[in-house]
Amino acid sequence: MANTFGTMSTAPSSHGAKNASNPARAAGNGNVVKRLQSELMTLMTSPTPGLSAFPSNTDITKWNATVSGPAETPYADLTFKLTLAYPSNYPYAPPEVLFKTPVYHPNVDMSGRICLDILKPGGQGKEGAWSAVLNTSSVLLSIQSLLGEPNNASPLNGEAALLWDRDQAEYKKKVLARHQEPAEMEENGLSTGF
Amino acid sequence: MAATASRSHASTRHDIFASVFPPPSFTTPTPETTPNIGVLASPGRPFGGFNITSPVFDDTIRFNRAWSTATRYLSLPLHGPPEQQTNLQVSHDVKDAMYHLCQDARTRKDLLAWYANETGVHFRQHVLPKLLGWQQPVPRAEAQALLARTMNVLGEAQEHYLQKPSALAGSASDSISGASFQSFRIKILERLHVQVLQSLPIPRLQDTLAGVFYQRMKASLGNNSNPEACLKRKECHCSLDMTGVPLAQLHEIGLGNAVAERAFAQAMHNLLRKAAIERRCFQVDWAEQATVVPMLRDWVNAYVTPFVDRSLAALTDNASPEMSDMEAARFAQIAVANLGRRRTAAIFEYVKSWPASTGAFLDIQEYLTCMPHDKVYVCDSFIKQAKTRLLHAGASTTEILSIYANVIHAFRLLDARGVLLEKVAHPLRSYLRGRDDTVAIIAASFLADIGPDGTLINADPDRVCADISHEVASSTLNAMEKGHKMLRFDDMNWVPDPIDAGPDYKASESEDVLAYVLGLFDQEDFIKEVTTVLAQHLLQTTDADYVKEIRLVELFKSRLDATKLQAAEVMLKDVHDSVSLNKRINPQSAKRDQGEPPTPRDIQAAIPEEGIALHSLYTQYEGRLKPAQFHAALRLVATKRHDLYFAKRTRLPPEPPPTSAPLSTAPADELDFRVQVLSSFFWPEMRANDFLLPPGFPAREQAFRQSFARLGNQRKLQFRHALARVDVRLEMGDRRVVEERDVPVWRASVIDVFARQAEGEEEADGITAERLMGLLRMEGELVLDALAFWTGKRVLYRPDSGMGRYAVLERLDMDTTHSTTTTTTTNQPPHHQHQQQPQHADTMISAVKTQDAMLKDNAPMFQAFIANMLRNGGPKEVGGVMGITGMLRMVLPVFTFGEEETGWLLGEMEGRGEVVRRGEVWSVGG
């Protein structure tokens, strides 16, 4: 299982914004950098409890994030690592967000991809709900609330969706079995970010 | 006469006695010790059989006889002092015997060996004890005496030993025996010399000789020199001689030759190294700043070389040991090299006193042309001296910078292509880069004012390097416009790259000091710092045309990357625009730009007791008064004597009575209110303290805001009160008027509180600093600064019963607690020099925020960044590309600090338990 995650972390996303992974343009688009810098500044100066994010390296379009599980859900007291990759036309396209921590959740698949409407390109003729007014902080907040309120109508993980409705105790057991804290992940040789 | 006669008679008799009764301890000559008892008669003789003559036998007898006679004659009296035998008679048999012995090489050799032994025994017994002084080190002071004594003793001994051989030689009857006796004598002399040398410690002898020679040469130089005359004629006529040291005699007693030659060479070497070039004649030419090397060469050729010839001739008894031209040139070269080394030994001093020391550097230049391999030595010496004397915490950065400028000049003189400069400048440059304040000082120096005499005007010598300012003032804008050297095919001065340059050598494009100074740092760092200083300067300058600043920015643009100087240009434009903006909004203000014209009384007061020249007096009022008006006023109050003006003693017509209010800010509508509009994005972070202004200001601010908007400006105005400056005029109770120009406005606010309090007659016993802070909503730092300023100006004082309160010092005698200056001058009007010097708070509280303050202010934000970075990015080190510092700089443009500051931030966080340190790696805590 651990190996699967390790290799899948580089799997291409089904969504657009392919050039986000192209480092050549990292410094090319000043607007993205400016926007990200200001987002970072807001995030730092008015932090939201339970959420934090920071650029992973010198490329400011790749961030690592940490989200703590919402209280009174099966995910309480757990820490989740995510990566955010911003496309060059951000904020007109959504960032690509992946769970690095193995998550047992109806809307998260085995490679950490998230099924969430705001993470899909929005606009006319598209099914997504991304909008340029959203930002890193709101994305992370949505993901955090998604943990406590899964959208069982369109599950990526059918078993989890079923179990969520039927047996919360069993569900929580599965969640804990799958989950690894960041420290454990590092011991197991999994990356927690970019 | 009679005495000598009788003495010679006695000695002859002694000889007679001696022939009969040999002296007891005399080692008797061989034949007598082993007497020849003859041989048995040959058995063959009676038969007459063999008529054999026996030549061998005969020879032996002859030899023995001759030997006996000769040795008896030659033997030395072993006891007592050598006798003086003036009249030596040589008997015929002695002569014959000697002749016989000297004929045959073998016997002569035996006789020589015997005589050498004889003299050796005598020498050891009677002469050596007198030369004991050589057995221990010879002190310099006694060297001369010891040498004289030795020469005396040896001379006597030699004379004694040679007495008989000489007499023999003198008495030779024919030329053949004469020649053989003479050669015998010479052989004896050689052996004696060998003996002398063997019995004395050669190295010590040589050193002593060298010392004595050197002392003599030095003394003769001292006696014969006349530096004044030499300097006047530009050539040295100080001659050398060796009087007092009998060189020929040295040679005679066997101390000449190799030992003495070596000693002489040693002495000569020392002379050329020390005494000769240390003389006044060859000192650094400070007055004319020319090299003394040609003079030195001439002197060596005209005086030293002949002297060496003469001395060597005397020492070796060789009539003409002429030096070849090459050897003579070598002497000159050695002298020049020594002079150069001597200059090099003090090269740091010369760099320091550049350009007065140009002569010294020209000397070194000559030295390097004649000894090209010593370039390394010169560089090393300078670097070593600089390291011990300059590159340490005790030297201020301005000092190092000014020496750096001098180094550039001086070493460019030594080597125009800059190879040496590159070598010596490297340690200085790397050290300067390590200093925190270097950039700031360079930037400040670029903006400092230089007076006509090269001194700084209104600048702190610790913060501004006068040499650099001077360079800026004298530099040309188009220094860089030379173009690329390689591309100018008609350049007649082209030279190839020097062969002794390092691999990283590249011909410097610009050759002036500014290029080197600017090249010290990364352009970006430098521009940032320059922008800060320029901002400060623009805010404080009074010159409405900003000539200097414009020139400076142009200068930078020509030398640095022009595109990076955008901020500086915007700043310049801002202040220019502000001038015209003020004219449009406030048209009448321009008229009063220059302040009120002075009254005649003011002018009278400004004339010092010792008089003042017209021009320097007028400069004080320049712009406030037209020259004609000024002349009229001056004629009223002053008398002119010898181009100086003195105050008239007569009374002046009464002036209109001053207003009674203790503090009169001018009537509200006459308040001259000017605003500078700055583009906050391009200016460095400014001090943003806010506080209440004296009444009248807020309304004006509001009015300005409206006019500004009316002129079609979309920009949002934000007033920075802490940057404002005002002119304050205070009239005190004893009619003492205190006028201060360009005071930071917080000081005006503070004094205004006192003024209003005096009008309101409440809290008459003063106000405390805390109360002021509350009243004005001002920060403590500023309040204290203002209080200190006004106390220093003797406007405020602290009453005895004050309990930390301050009150207005309406009359000077109210301040009883004050220091001695007032008690001595209570009855006199206060002179300016009796007032305490106000603190230079301008330097303490500057308009631009310091880096340190920025760090402290922003610490929480930076720390939040660090915490988030560590939480999301995992543990990190402080340094490195992906380290904490690097990441902060990358994601946070405001963060311009180094690892040291990051360490400080982390230390604080560690104290709060937010981060944990494991070795070099920091990670998020808890």
Side-chain angles (χ1 to χ4, degrees):
Chain A
M1 186 61 90
N3 275 337
T4 326
F5 274 102
T7 53
M8 287 181 75
S9 64
T10 55
S13 159
S14 57
H15 299 300
K18 269 201 189 109
N19 41 6
S21 56
N22 177 9
R25 55 131 301 282
N29 198 331
N31 288 334
V32 179
V33 174
K34 257 200 181 129
R35 157 97 186 202
L36 289 176
Q37 270 174 349
S38 81
E39 280 195 23
L40 183 63
M41 185 60 92
T42 344
L43 215 55
M44 296 299 115
T45 46
S46 51
T48 319
L51 299 180
S52 85
F54 204 78
S56 65
N57 53 34
T58 48
D59 181 0
I60 203 168
T61 61
K62 290 187 168 24
W63 289 27
N64 296 329
T66 312
V67 171
S68 51
E72 295 169 15
T73 67
Y75 303 95
D77 299 331
L78 302 181
T79 310
F80 298 91
K81 288 282 185 185
L82 299 99
T83 60
L84 295 95
Y86 298 91
S88 62
N89 52 349
Y90 183 80
Y92 302 109
E96 183 187 333
V97 187
L98 286 179
F99 268 106
K100 300 305 282 186
T101 311
V103 187
Y104 185 78
H105 189 274
N107 303 110
V108 180
D109 74 0
M110 295 301 232
S111 53
R113 286 177 289 212
I114 307 163
C115 179
L116 185 63
D117 53 354
I118 62 158
L119 291 182
K120 291 167 191 161
Q124 288 192 335
K126 290 176 185 157
E127 79 275 30
W130 172 255
S131 139
V133 298
L134 295 171
N135 57 26
T136 309
S137 175
S138 54
V139 164
L140 289 177
L141 206 56
S142 307
I143 290 173
Q144 194 184 29
S145 57
L146 182 70
L147 286 175
E149 299 156 14
N151 177 9
N152 285 339
S154 64
L156 280 172
N157 184 341
E159 185 207 47
L162 287 175
L163 213 54
W164 173 271
D165 292 332
R166 280 192 209 145
D167 187 350
Q168 280 285 333
E170 183 63 19
Y171 184 87
K172 174 145 195 185
K173 220 179 275 175
K174 290 253 186 190
V175 165
L176 291 179
R178 173 77 63 86
H179 184 77
Q180 292 181 12
E181 279 293 300
E184 291 175 73
M185 291 174 67
E186 257 156 40
E187 278 168 27
N188 296 338
L190 288 177
S191 75
T192 57
F194 278 106
Chain B
M1 200 55 152
T4 50
S6 72
R7 184 174 167 75
S8 76
H9 179 67
S11 63
T12 324
R13 200 173 53 200
H14 178 78
D15 277 356
I16 297 170
F17 274 118
S19 66
V20 182
F21 307 105
S25 71
F26 188 68
T27 52
T28 47
T30 337
E32 280 169 42
T33 5
T34 53
N36 189 344
I37 54 168
V39 290
L40 291 171
S42 165
R45 188 161 285 193
F47 304 102
F50 312 103
N51 190 12
I52 307 165
T53 52
S54 171
V56 177
F57 174 76
D58 230 21
D59 281 354
T60 316
I61 291 182
R62 289 237 308 274
F63 168 74
N64 284 343
R65 289 265 167 76
W67 181 267
S68 174
T69 315
T71 49
R72 195 178 302 141
Y73 169 72
L74 287 176
S75 63
L76 297 167
L78 288 185
H79 293 292
E83 291 180 36
Q84 202 63 36
Q85 290 168 310
T86 48
N87 188 13
L88 273 174
Q89 288 174 347
V90 186
S91 57
H92 275 288
D93 49 342
V94 170
K95 260 192 263 180
D96 287 346
M98 285 299 294
Y99 182 67
H100 178 74
L101 289 177
C102 292
Q103 279 305 99
D104 189 354
R106 194 170 49 82
T107 52
R108 195 177 64 185
K109 196 175 153 206
D110 284 348
L111 190 64
L112 279 174
W114 176 82
Y115 193 68
N117 181 46
E118 188 80 3
T119 51
V121 171
H122 187 273
F123 187 79
R124 277 193 292 280
Q125 282 193 357
H126 296 289
V127 182
L128 266 191
K130 297 177 189 162
L131 301 179
L132 276 181
W134 290 101
Q135 297 308 316
Q136 59 256 14
V138 184
R140 182 177 295 172
E142 292 170 21
Q144 177 103 33
L146 180 65
L147 190 68
R149 207 164 60 235
T150 306
M151 283 169 65
N152 209 4
V153 167
L154 287 179
E156 269 177 22
Q158 185 171 312
E159 196 182 335
H160 180 50
Y161 298 148
L162 286 179
Q163 198 174 29
K164 284 172 178 171
S166 301
L168 204 60
S171 67
S173 51
D174 57 280
S175 62
I176 304 174
S177 63
S180 73
F181 291 157
Q182 195 62 41
S183 80
F184 177 70
R185 180 181 172 277
I186 290 169
K187 288 273 196 269
I188 288 176
L189 192 62
E190 282 172 6
R191 292 205 171 217
L192 278 176
H193 287 176
V194 170
Q195 187 150 33
V196 165
L197 287 182
Q198 279 174 345
S199 53
L200 292 178
I202 300 288
R204 188 172 295 153
L205 176 69
Q206 187 180 322
D207 288 349
T208 312
L209 274 178
V212 171
F213 288 167
Y214 175 63
Q215 294 301 335
R216 277 313 308 159
M217 296 181 197
K218 198 172 151 186
S220 74
L221 265 186
N223 292 338
N224 301 336
S225 73
N226 183 3
E228 296 306 321
C230 292
L231 285 178
K232 204 172 286 170
R233 274 183 294 178
K234 284 286 152 211
E235 42 190 289
C236 183
H237 290 285
C238 310
S239 60
L240 279 167
D241 60 48
M242 270 291 208
T243 46
V245 182
L247 296 174
Q249 198 189 341
L250 267 181
H251 174 68
E252 268 168 31
I253 60 163
L255 294 180
N257 297 337
V259 177
E261 270 187 65
R262 278 204 294 272
F264 184 76
Q266 209 171 321
M268 208 62 223
H269 180 68
N270 276 343
L271 184 80
L272 287 182
R273 206 175 58 198
K274 289 192 231 149
I277 55 167
E278 278 172 11
R279 285 177 308 130
R280 178 73 192 86
C281 305
F282 301 130
Q283 293 295 322
V284 177
D285 192 346
W286 298 93
E288 309 223 337
Q289 305 191 351
T291 173
V292 298
V293 168
M295 202 158 109
L296 180 64
R297 279 183 203 276
D298 290 347
W299 178 72
V300 168
N301 288 334
Y303 290 93
V304 176
T305 328
F307 165 73
V308 172
D309 278 344
R310 273 201 317 274
S311 305
L312 283 185
L315 266 183
T316 57
D317 202 16
N318 179 357
S320 57
E322 277 292 312
M323 275 196 285
S324 66
D325 284 351
M326 208 154 85
E327 284 169 325
R330 182 108 183 98
F331 263 106
Q333 196 181 352
I334 290 172
V336 172
N338 283 326
L339 185 77
R341 292 207 186 95
R342 198 172 154 63
R343 298 279 189 271
T344 309
I347 192 168
F348 185 78
E349 289 295 334
Y350 296 132
V351 168
K352 226 172 158 178
S353 48
W354 177 270
S357 60
T358 312
F361 280 98
L362 289 171
D363 290 345
I364 296 179
Q365 190 188 25
E366 290 273 352
Y367 156 57
L368 288 182
T369 14
C370 100
M371 307 281 282
H373 295 292
D374 280 13
K375 282 179 181 171
V376 180
Y377 170 72
V378 172
C379 294
D380 284 354
S381 308
F382 177 77
I383 291 171
K384 210 178 290 166
Q385 291 171 34
K387 270 192 179 140
T388 48
R389 299 195 42 193
L390 187 67
L391 304 182
H392 52 70
S396 69
T397 308
T398 47
E399 195 183 340
I400 302 178
L401 276 173
S402 80
I403 289 204
Y404 180 63
N406 287 352
V407 164
I408 293 165
H409 282 303
F411 277 81
R412 186 91 56 59
L413 178 71
L414 290 186
D415 170 32
R417 289 166 303 176
V419 181
L420 292 188
L421 177 59
E422 282 300 319
K423 279 181 188 151
V424 295
H426 181 72
L428 280 179
R429 291 165 75 94
S430 50
Y431 184 79
L432 277 173
R433 286 195 190 111
R435 283 233 171 172
D436 294 341
D437 51 348
T438 311
V439 183
I441 288 181
I442 293 177
S445 309
F446 273 102
L447 284 159
D449 294 306
I450 284 269
D453 53 344
T455 50
L456 290 171
I457 300 172
N458 294 334
D460 179 2
D462 287 341
R463 316 272 333 141
V464 172
C465 175
D467 286 338
I468 294 183
S469 308
H470 198 71
E471 292 294 335
V472 173
S474 59
S475 76
T476 50
L477 278 177
N478 50 7
M480 295 293 285
E481 290 168 13
K482 281 186 188 167
H484 200 276
K485 282 187 180 173
M486 293 303 286
L487 296 179
R488 285 170 48 194
F489 295 114
D490 55 348
D491 183 3
M492 284 300 136
N493 296 320
W494 183 86
V495 279
D497 278 355
I499 51 166
D500 50 349
D504 51 348
Y505 173 83
K506 53 179 189 297
S508 50
E509 287 174 20
S510 174
E511 320 253 288
D512 67 350
V513 173
L514 289 188
Y516 279 93
V517 170
L518 290 177
L520 265 179
F521 290 98
D522 196 26
Q523 286 201 359
E524 302 224 4
D525 288 351
F526 187 73
I527 290 173
K528 202 165 72 190
E529 201 69 39
V530 162
T531 318
T532 313
V533 178
L534 186 68
Q536 180 97 30
H537 201 78
L538 285 175
L539 288 182
Q540 284 176 3
T541 192
T542 47
D543 174 15
D545 292 334
Y546 300 102
V547 178
K548 192 172 164 55
E549 289 73 15
I550 292 172
R551 179 176 182 279
L552 195 76
V553 170
E554 290 300 320
L555 182 78
F556 284 138
K557 271 161 71 181
S558 75
R559 284 163 190 276
L560 303 171
D561 186 356
T563 56
K564 289 182 180 151
L565 284 159
Q566 191 194 13
E569 286 198 71
V570 172
M571 278 155 51
L572 264 185
K573 187 170 177 303
D574 275 346
V575 289
H576 264 294
D577 288 353
S578 302
V579 170
S580 55
L581 188 70
N582 278 313
K583 276 188 189 141
R584 284 171 70 186
I585 291 181
N586 236 354
Q588 78 279 17
S589 76
K591 284 180 238 149
R592 274 196 322 276
D593 235 9
Q594 311 293 355
E596 292 176 25
T599 62
R601 189 191 285 271
D602 289 340
I603 297 176
Q604 188 183 33
I607 299 175
E609 278 177 32
E610 64 271 18
I612 189 166
L614 175 69
H615 178 72
S616 42
L617 186 61
Y618 180 63
T619 47
Q620 298 178 22
Y621 303 104
E622 211 170 345
R624 288 161 65 188
L625 204 59
K626 291 204 179 87
Q629 292 174 324
F630 175 72
H631 276 293
L634 187 64
R635 227 170 285 132
L636 191 65
V637 297
T639 51
K640 183 179 176 183
R641 264 175 270 150
H642 306 296
D643 287 340
L644 292 181
Y645 283 88
F646 297 88
K648 276 184 188 163
R649 303 261 174 254
T650 51
R651 295 188 132 259
L652 287 171
E655 287 185 17
T659 47
S660 57
L663 175 134
S664 79
T665 44
D669 54 313
E670 288 192 6
L671 198 64
D672 178 17
F673 184 77
R674 271 168 291 164
V675 177
Q676 290 206 318
V677 182
L678 313 177
S679 314
S680 67
F681 182 77
F682 291 97
W683 286 70
E685 187 102 351
M686 296 290 177
R687 181 171 283 281
N689 319 51
D690 207 356
F691 44 82
L692 293 190
L693 294 181
F697 282 94
R700 273 184 188 70
E701 276 180 11
Q702 198 51 45
F704 185 86
R705 229 186 260 277
Q706 283 164 6
S707 332
F708 188 69
R710 226 181 8 256
L711 286 171
N713 273 297
Q714 298 295 316
R715 291 193 285 180
K716 205 172 91 185
L717 282 181
Q718 188 182 4
F719 284 94
R720 295 277 168 127
H721 292 155
L723 303 181
R725 297 187 163 260
V726 289
D727 295 349
V728 180
R729 183 182 158 89
L730 305 174
E731 289 180 20
M732 313 303 292
D734 53 359
R735 296 187 182 175
R736 190 164 52 101
V737 177
V738 179
E739 244 185 299
E740 292 295 333
R741 298 171 71 80
D742 270 347
V743 189
V745 78
W746 64 77
R747 292 178 181 161
S749 287
V750 167
I751 203 67
D752 180 59
V753 170
F754 283 97
R756 277 182 287 145
Q757 167 229 339
E759 282 170 9
E761 295 297 332
E762 56 182 47
E763 292 186 82
D765 50 346
I767 309 177
T768 63
E770 289 76 20
R771 178 136 173 72
L772 279 172
M773 281 158 66
L775 278 175
L776 292 169
R777 283 179 248 146
M778 191 190 280
E779 284 171 25
E781 184 192 16
L782 300 183
V783 170
L784 291 180
D785 168 71
L787 288 173
F789 177 80
W790 290 120
T791 315
K793 290 279 181 204
R794 318 264 329 259
V795 172
L796 296 181
Y797 77 116
R798 305 178 73 155
D800 282 337
S801 57
M803 312 281 289
R805 289 166 190 276
Y806 289 82
V808 180
L809 188 63
E810 291 285 4
R811 293 185 311 281
L812 278 179
D813 52 6
M814 282 162 65
D815 188 2
T816 51
T817 62
H818 216 277
S819 53
T820 50
T821 52
T822 43
T823 54
T824 54
T825 62
T826 31
N827 296 327
Q828 298 169 9
H831 290 291
H832 182 71
Q833 60 263 37
H834 288 288
Q835 299 185 359
Q836 286 182 336
Q837 281 300 310
Q839 298 178 19
H840 284 287
D842 293 0
T843 55
M844 295 192 309
I845 300 178
S846 67
V848 179
K849 265 194 190 177
T850 64
Q851 289 276 302
D852 208 30
M854 281 237 316
L855 179 71
K856 296 237 159 65
D857 289 355
N858 292 326
M861 180 183 66
F862 293 155
Q863 286 167 347
F865 269 77
I866 292 176
N868 274 292
M869 182 198 305
L870 294 179
R871 178 166 299 125
N872 293 300
K876 281 187 192 304
E877 291 182 21
V878 173
V881 183
M882 298 293 290
I884 297 173
T885 314
M887 286 289 286
L888 272 185
R889 277 166 175 255
M890 202 270 305
V891 300
L892 196 59
V894 202
F895 189 83
T896 51
F897 304 96
E899 292 174 13
E900 218 172 288
E901 286 82 2
T902 314
W904 178 80
L905 291 169
L906 283 166
E908 276 208 331
M909 295 170 71
E910 191 182 24
R912 295 195 296 260
E914 292 170 11
V915 292
V916 186
R917 179 185 193 154
R918 282 192 208 92
E920 285 299 301
V921 177
W922 295 83
S923 56
V924 66

